[in-house]
Amino acid sequence: MPSSLRRAVVILVAPKYLVGAVAVIRDSESGNLLLLRQPSKAGWSLPAGLLKRHEEPAVGAARELFEETGVRIAPDDLTPGVPNAIVHPVGVVDTVFFGTVAATQAPLDIDGGEIVDVGWFPVDDLPRLTANTIKLLACYDLAPEPATPQPAAEPTAGPETGTRDDGDRP
């Protein structure tokens, strides 16, 4: 098969992903985490967005952070997360970067359209988060992994006492 035809076939059948950048920003004094709320999401999330064509991921993370919260951090001051990429089931790959800033020196500024609220939260007392934010923070031990719902066991009568037996059953 000619290489141009082979390339066309690969482009048609290969999975396609959107690539984004996420900024996980902590207050250098308290360790609090910077979160934001968007009107279209049910919960708080991290500053993030899609990369522009040919944009370096750290540059995109710094840009999104500034656009969404007003907090400015130089891309060189952001540290890539380990792992640096999180793949979401919806076809998005997030590159993750960490940074710190003194919250008292970083006034928060939102537009009220794309972002409706922004704030600093203690890691051990986070507000309700979006599912993707929980998954991402759990990868870095900053949030508990979401519990997988378990089916309720049916109560059974114990052999002699008639009491409830929730033990293992075959």
Side-chain angles (χ1 to χ4, degrees), residues 34-46:
L34 181 62
L35 297 173
L36 54 86
R37 262 187 341 109
Q38 297 174 302
S40 61
K41 307 251 168 100
W44 290 77
S45 58
L46 297 161

Side-chain angles (χ1 to χ4, degrees), residues 9-123:
V9 169
V10 168
I11 290 170
L12 285 174
V13 299
K16 306 217 179 355
Y17 292 93
L18 296 172
V19 180
V22 179
V24 181
I25 305 301
R26 307 279 300 263
D27 176 10
S28 60
E29 296 164 358
S30 68
N32 288 350
L33 188 63
L34 181 62
L35 297 173
L36 54 86
R37 262 187 341 109
Q38 297 174 302
S40 61
K41 307 251 168 100
W44 290 77
S45 58
L46 297 161
L50 296 177
L51 295 178
K52 294 180 178 180
R53 188 176 194 86
H54 304 294
E55 183 176 41
E56 291 292 322
V59 172
R63 176 184 52 77
E64 287 293 338
L65 173 65
F66 178 71
E67 288 176 3
E68 295 180 345
T69 68
V71 173
R72 191 179 298 275
I73 295 180
D76 291 342
D77 292 336
L78 294 172
T79 303
V82 178
N84 184 234
I86 305 294
V87 179
H88 298 283
V90 293
V92 175
V93 176
D94 279 329
T95 55
V96 183
F97 293 87
F98 288 81
T100 59
V101 64
T104 57
Q105 302 299 313
L108 301 175
D109 182 30
I110 58 171
D111 63 12
E114 180 186 357
I115 307 301
V116 296
D117 202 1
V118 64
W120 297 96
F121 296 89
V123 173

